[in-house]
Amino acid sequence: MRPMLLALLAKEPAHGYELKQALEQIFGSAYPSPNIGQIYVTLGRLEKDGLVRVVDVEQSNRPNKKVYYLTAAGREALEGWVDEPTEGPRVRDEFFMKLVLAPMTGIADRMAMINRQRRHYLGLMRDLNELAGQTDRDNRAALLLVEGAMLHLQADLDWLERCQEELS
Amino acid sequence: MTSPVVDTVNLVKIYQDGEVPVPAVRGVDLRVEAGEFVAVMGPSGSGKSTLIHMIGGLEARTSGEIWLDGQRADMLKESAWALLRRRKIGFVFQFFNLVANMTVADNVELPALLAGVSAKEARRRREHLLGELGLTARADAAPAQLAGGEQQRVALARALANKPSLLLADEPTGNLDSRNTRDVLRLLGEVHREGQAIVLVTHDARVASLADRVVSLLDGQIVDDGGAGLARRRPRGGAGDVIELRG
Ligand SMILES: Nc1ncnc2c1ncn2[C@@H]1O[C@H](COP(=O)(O)OP(=O)(O)OP(=O)(O)O)[C@@H](O)[C@H]1O
Ligand SMILES: [Mg+2]
């Protein structure tokens, strides 16, 4: 989450709760809602590393508000993050490990495992369909995120089909 | 109890036209209730097209039985099959099969006219279907002037023109991008809500996930028939986890 917070702060200074809201608004409900505690912990670490600095803003009849600013070092770190190539998804699929290893021990049947997993993926796909339906048509980023998840899931299903052809 | 729309009993197809016989479908029992939406998935060559061609009477079976609406269909003569198809079945081919020398509009109206629907009603229905699929502007084009994805949607509109009680569709979204797939899904949802049964072959998990049941074929046999398993068991936010895990 560190670089995401830096990016939001590069746009404008903000306090923790505003950052949480911005993440939710930009990525929609497909993105797991960040926990406010986690955001403050991350901001604390960024501050310690000198990437952000905090200014206490006095508020009448409420506790002070902490507003976070990006520092020059923070901007540099952000630029580094944007410039470096990003790893693609790695195949580190737990189901595949089960599929290969479990039948060796005689505790599971591959065909049954694959069928169960396919149903599970299709159920997830149905959820994503619903999520896409509930997402605001104008929120391009959120819709694209759901579409990305669907395409990954499709690839998982295609792979499952290959496993069924080859292993059973 | 009403009879199932489709009921196959130990259905077998062995292609004999080559050097060696090819067993494409090997003993399939598939029952589809009225109004049910069944998706058929499986690897290339697993017999999906062969199966729905047999159900639609477009390919002769080698052995086994096919019952449609409680009527034995596999013994029917070609002409009787054609009549049955015209009345009850809409078919979307994997490779479209549009009539080349007719406009898109005429292609879509033809089945309704053949089924005895009035010209006015056939036209109304055609306009609705082409509208739903974003093809209104292409009504006067010839099939050859259309992109693959457009031809595919015309084929779907044609199959739905006479409000068949059974829609058989072979990869109806195979050539479509995301947005056109969404239009097709919306139309299928409408068809399903109106109580028409759907048997749809697809590789597209988005399409399959909307079905009431997913039947998986492997080497000409059903290896899974997922009715209840598809029921939602996950708490809210499950989809969000997918994104996190793949992130
Ligand atoms: N007319 C034919 N003559 C001989 N063999 C055929 C014929 N049609 C299909 N087959 C064979 O029957 C098997 C099943 O083919 P079918 O077209 O039903 O598969 P499919 O599941 O629809 O595949 P795909 O996903 O590629 O469309 C294949 O091995 C295929 O080569
Ligand atoms: Mg096929």
Side-chain angles (χ1 to χ4, degrees), chain A:
Chain A
M1 195 174 11
R2 286 167 63 107
M4 296 169 84
L5 297 185
L6 292 180
L8 290 174
L9 292 175
K11 191 166 144 262
E12 60 193 344
H15 58 259
Y17 191 69
E18 284 170 342
L19 293 170
K20 173 180 160 68
Q21 283 181 316
L23 285 174
E24 285 169 355
Q25 199 266 321
I26 293 169
F27 294 107
S29 47
Y31 185 80
S33 182
N35 163 308
I36 187 72
Q38 224 177 316
I39 288 184
Y40 280 115
V41 168
T42 309
L43 285 170
R45 292 197 184 126
L46 290 171
E47 189 192 355
K48 209 171 109 237
D49 295 343
L51 303 182
V52 304
R53 83 193 141 76
V54 193
V55 174
D56 269 325
V57 176
E58 269 184 51
Q59 297 200 106
S60 56
N61 64 39
R62 284 162 98 203
N64 286 357
K65 192 163 81 170
K66 282 177 186 286
V67 175
Y68 293 83
Y69 288 75
L70 192 67
T71 63
R75 176 168 293 277
E76 210 169 293
L78 176 62
E79 280 166 3
W81 177 64
V82 171
D83 285 345
E84 84 195 7
T86 309
E87 287 301 319
R90 290 155 300 272
V91 175
R92 204 173 38 203
D93 189 278
E94 189 181 348
F95 175 72
F96 187 71
M97 304 305 146
K98 283 188 202 172
L99 186 66
V100 172
L101 298 174
M104 292 180 183
T105 64
I107 54 176
D109 167 57
R110 280 206 175 113
M111 189 69 95
M113 289 176 76
I114 290 173
N115 286 341
R116 198 164 53 226
Q117 190 68 11
R118 184 191 303 104
R119 292 181 188 202
H120 177 65
Y121 283 158
L122 288 169
L124 289 174
M125 188 62 97
R126 184 180 285 206
D127 285 357
L128 287 170
N129 264 321
E130 261 172 42
L131 205 56
Q134 290 158 6
T135 302
D136 181 1
R137 290 288 110 200
D138 296 329
N139 192 343
R140 294 272 177 81
L143 284 172
L144 282 168
L145 186 56
V146 175
E147 190 174 331
M150 285 174 160
L151 290 169
H152 279 280
L153 204 48
Q154 178 73 53
D156 287 332
L157 273 154
D158 291 346
W159 191 27
L160 203 59
E161 197 171 271
R162 290 288 305 127
C163 292
Q164 193 153 36
E165 269 183 290
E166 298 285 328
L167 295 178
S168 55

Side-chain angles (χ1 to χ4, degrees), chain B residues 45 47-50 53 94-95 170-171 201:
Chain B
K48 306 180 297 294
S49 293
T50 303
H53 278 93
Q94 189 166 7
F95 304 106
D170 199 351
E171 292 281 4
V201 170

Side-chain angles (χ1 to χ4, degrees), chain B residues 13 15-18 20 22-25 42-51 53 59 94-95 170-171 201 203 217:
Chain B
K13 175 71 185 186
Y15 287 105
Q16 308 271 16
D17 39 353
V20 285
V22 179
V25 170
S44 186
S46 58
K48 306 180 297 294
S49 293
T50 303
L51 176 62
H53 278 93
E59 188 82 72
Q94 189 166 7
F95 304 106
D170 199 351
E171 292 281 4
V201 170
H203 279 104
L217 279 188

